[in-house]
Amino acid sequence: MSLTCQVTVYYLPKFDYHLYIPKMEGRDMATNKKVFTLRLSDEVFDKIGILATSEHRSLTNYIEYVLIQHLEKVEKEHGIIITDQTKD
């Protein structure tokens, strides 16, 4: 039996994506968001940065977007994840 797999590979030029992320000076940040440290390898950081820039998102906004999409998929397959906020 032979298995085949299709892989999508992104060939994007190397550029300083952080230079294209809008600065936040003078803007109010959402107050209902938690702040935490996330450690990523240089390779993962650079790849996420390239994808974020290609979608005109900041790095943190892109990470949040991807996580929300994943949570929605998991909840669709396995049911709602109960937290203190969803108990009410």
Side-chain angles (χ1 to χ4, degrees):
M1 182 164 106
S2 174
L3 297 175
T4 60
C5 178
Q6 183 177 4
V7 176
T8 302
V9 179
Y10 292 92
Y11 292 99
L12 299 172
K14 180 166 174 44
F15 61 98
D16 294 324
Y17 52 83
H18 64 278
L19 298 175
Y20 300 95
I21 298 172
K23 302 286 187 241
M24 292 301 294
E25 292 95 10
R27 297 188 207 173
D28 292 331
M29 292 183 63
T31 57
N32 64 340
K33 294 190 177 188
K34 306 260 185 202
V35 176
F36 71 99
T37 301
L38 174 65
R39 290 182 174 85
L40 302 171
S41 69
D42 289 343
E43 181 180 13
V44 170
F45 184 87
D46 290 343
K47 287 180 178 183
I48 293 172
I50 289 169
L51 294 175
T53 301
S54 71
E55 294 197 18
H56 306 287
R57 294 178 179 268
S58 69
L59 190 73
T60 53
N61 179 265
Y62 185 78
I63 291 170
E64 180 182 25
Y65 168 75
V66 169
L67 289 172
I68 289 169
Q69 295 299 310
H70 178 71
L71 288 170
E72 288 176 356
K73 178 183 174 191
V74 168
E75 289 186 330
K76 188 175 186 179
E77 293 174 6
H78 302 284
I80 302 294
I81 300 169
I82 304 298
T83 66
D84 289 339
Q85 287 78 28
T86 56
K87 285 181 182 178
D88 296 335

